[in-house]
Amino acid sequence: MQLDQATIDKLAAHLETAELEARDVLKITDDYPHMDWEDAYAIQDAIRHRKEARGQKTVGLKAGLTSFAKMKQMGVESPVFGFVSDYMSRQDGSEIQISELIHPKVEAEICVVTKAPLRGPGCHVGSVMAAIDFVLPAVEIIDSRYRDFKFDLKSVVADNTSASRFVIGGRSRDVEELDLRTLGVVLEKNGQIMAMAAGAAVLGHPAAAVAMLANHLGARGQEIPAGTFIMTGGVTEAIPVQAGDNIVVRYQDLGSVSMRFV
Ligand code: OOG
Ligand code: MG
């Protein structure tokens, strides 16, 4: 740790206020170039505590920057982890208010819900597959609080990995019915195909993102409890959206997820 608790709390308030007021800020490593990974996750944890103290429930965990397309788009080379809260959830087919956001982008994600706890170190695709209750599709709406989506990994971790909204839709399936690696995903904006990929785009296998998350938490003495909703990360690059845009993502064997930005 390089930062003291007062600075961690101050940066958490700074970033969470930017989120809640839909205002962009400069990346925090500009002012705190020596902050380390522990500081970055401590700031994210402090944001989570602020939300939970307000009664907002943490309803899922997310892995981000898990596909090559996303890493390339953002110019970074390792995954990051964050959380989603109840107030970020929107119904399939609903309208999403652009005025509450800064510069949103959509991401197509393959998600799982666990039926057994997962604890690293040593978690691998096999242990994750055994712990998956079911698979379901979701679209994440990310909205970095940093100006022009310009950040480094520590800044984005502190900013809860740009978490902002998410829409679960389609239909859930037992994991035995699917091949998560070849599961195809087509992302359309206003009827036009913008991007497509298969599950293997995510670290070779979406379950590998969950294993990484379990190992990351294990290193901090934490686990993924049974019954956790986990987003494994965008399979393609993220697509910017504006008011008036219609998004439909079609998932092989899992139906589709859609929303309209207003
Ligand atoms: C960071 C969050 C990335 C994903 O699925 O890759 C993410 C960002 O790109 O702003 O959620
Ligand atoms: Mg994401």
Side-chain angles (χ1 to χ4, degrees), residues 159-177:
D159 184 32
N160 189 22
T161 65
S162 314
S164 153
R165 299 281 181 267
F166 67 100
V167 178
I168 298 175
R171 54 161 300 181
S172 63
R173 287 272 194 164
D174 289 342
V175 70
E176 299 79 30
E177 296 172 31

Side-chain angles (χ1 to χ4, degrees), residues 4 21 42 69 103 116 125 131 134 173 178 203 208 212 229:
D4 58 26
E21 295 180 356
H103 42 203
V125 169
F134 54 88
R173 287 272 194 164
L178 303 168
L203 296 171
M212 265 189 105
F229 168 67

Side-chain angles (χ1 to χ4, degrees), residues 62-67 70 74 80 107 109 140 142 144 149 151 156 161-162 232-234:
K62 58 168 281 193
L65 305 170
T66 48
S67 66
K70 280 271 347 188
M74 304 319 296
V80 292
E107 299 183 321
E109 309 217 5
E140 179 174 28
I142 53 168
S144 175
F149 255 93
F151 53 65
V156 76
T161 65
S162 314
T232 64

Side-chain angles (χ1 to χ4, degrees), residues 50-244:
R50 288 170 67 88
K51 293 186 187 308
E52 289 174 354
R54 230 181 267 129
Q56 289 162 336
K57 289 184 80 171
T58 300
V59 294
L61 301 178
K62 58 168 281 193
L65 305 170
T66 48
S67 66
F68 181 65
K70 280 271 347 188
M71 292 189 217
K72 188 170 158 222
Q73 179 181 34
M74 304 319 296
V76 296
E77 54 216 33
S78 85
V80 292
F81 307 102
F83 66 90
V84 288
S85 303
D86 51 2
Y87 74 91
M88 299 178 184
S89 170
R90 292 292 179 278
Q91 298 262 320
D92 192 13
S94 66
E95 294 190 335
I96 296 187
Q97 295 287 333
I98 285 272
S99 61
E100 296 172 2
L101 308 172
I102 304 165
H103 42 203
K105 298 183 190 178
V106 293
E107 299 183 321
E109 309 217 5
I110 296 167
C111 306
V112 303
V113 173
T114 58
K115 62 184 174 194
L118 280 166
R119 186 176 195 123
C123 230
H124 51 71
V125 169
S127 30
V128 173
M129 293 298 277
I132 292 176
D133 193 358
F134 54 88
V135 178
L136 76 179
V139 170
E140 179 174 28
I141 296 103
I142 53 168
D143 193 33
S144 175
R145 268 54 71 169
Y146 298 119
R147 192 153 305 160
D148 303 322
F149 255 93
K150 293 250 157 47
F151 53 65
D152 48 52
L153 282 171
K154 286 170 195 155
S155 292
V156 76
V157 163
D159 184 32
N160 189 22
T161 65
S162 314
S164 153
R165 299 281 181 267
F166 67 100
V167 178
I168 298 175
R171 54 161 300 181
S172 63
R173 287 272 194 164
D174 289 342
V175 70
E176 299 79 30
E177 296 172 31
L178 303 168
D179 179 347
L180 291 181
R181 291 167 308 165
T182 57
L183 195 147
V185 181
V186 178
L187 193 163
E188 298 174 9
K189 177 161 96 172
N190 303 326
Q192 233 191 321
I193 295 173
M194 303 299 290
M196 55 191 126
V202 173
L203 296 171
H205 194 307
V210 180
M212 265 189 105
L213 171 63
N215 292 330
H216 160 79
L217 291 175
R220 311 173 83 216
Q222 298 165 14
E223 65 175 21
I224 305 175
T228 303
F229 168 67
I230 304 161
M231 308 179 67
T232 64
V235 292
T236 74
E237 71 274 24
I239 304 295
V241 286
Q242 299 176 338

